[in-house]
Amino acid sequence: MNTQTMVFLDCLGGEQSMWRLLVPAFEEQYRVVVVELIGMGNSDLTAYGRAAHSTLEGHASDLLKVMSELALHDAVFVGHSAGALIGVLAAVREPQRFAKMVLVSPSPRYIDEQDCAGNFEHKDINELLAAMDGDYNGWSQAFAPVVAGTDEHPEMVMELTNSFVRTNPEIARHFARVSFFSDSRAALPFFTIPTLIVQSANDVIAPLAVGHYINEQLADSRMVVVETGGHCPHLSAPQKTLSAMDKFLHHETAR
């Protein structure tokens, strides 16, 4: 077995099971560590603090603490959505802990601005957050199909809905505000780890323009577009995602 470690990190409403379609492909080659964000999944909810987790940097500190306690260096990191940017922020601070990065559906800024093509206006985010505040379970049922982005996998919509519902509503609301109003663009020029960006062909949350923006900003990256819809290509198109990862990790170097 390769002594190198592969670390997986999800995002809002994420659980360890979200990586189940990828993890088995790497267990013989890597030591696999699946990390849940504090406040998500089966993590210790009492460890979540509004002050400590008022920015994605707070979650990056959590990730670095886990990697420090496990004495991880030169790890392969795989992060999804906001979890991908949390990995970027951690790698800027302690690059020696990371050898390669796989960013699945990342976005450094969700709000559309002149120099970054996010897919939301301020009012869109405010409406989303108001829906979460007003009826969290109803929001979960409405938002899951947007994340899934496909009518071909109703079981995926149900899985995402259930995952959102199981998440503590207060923590989910707070993390959503932190995540959707975050701006990690300033960190990108300082990020030097070889990186693969995995992007869905049709993603309402992180459209292709955002993936291209990140690819242009990073010093050592390549981007692969997976022919699938939605924000979770690791769930909707796992074999295509695995193929892109395999080529990047074992056969190709980054751009």
Side-chain angles (χ1 to χ4, degrees), residues 121-190:
E121 302 292 337
H122 275 278
K123 66 179 181 62
D124 299 325
I125 301 298
N126 288 330
E127 289 172 0
L128 181 151
L129 297 174
M132 292 182 76
D133 291 339
D135 179 4
Y136 180 74
N137 286 350
W139 170 85
S140 298
Q141 294 174 5
F143 192 62
V146 176
V147 177
T150 175
D151 297 326
E152 299 177 6
H153 303 286
E155 71 284 357
M156 180 178 160
V157 174
M158 183 60 67
E159 177 182 1
L160 291 168
T161 300
N162 291 337
S163 181
F164 286 135
V165 169
R166 284 192 294 268
T167 304
N168 179 283
E170 290 301 317
I171 292 177
R173 293 182 186 109
H174 184 247
F175 181 79
R177 283 176 167 79
V178 170
S179 179
F180 282 114
F181 284 119
S182 65
D183 188 350
S184 303
R185 290 174 294 173
L188 299 182
F190 300 96

Side-chain angles (χ1 to χ4, degrees), residues 227-240:
E227 290 301 323
T228 188
H231 195 52
C232 303
H234 55 303
L235 290 173
S236 62
Q239 291 305 315
K240 294 177 182 178

Side-chain angles (χ1 to χ4, degrees), residues 10-16 18 36-37 40-42 163-164 167:
D10 217 293
C11 60
L12 174 63
E15 300 177 334
Q16 290 185 344
M18 296 293 184
E36 290 180 330
L37 292 173
M40 305 297 157
N42 295 309
S163 181
F164 286 135
T167 304

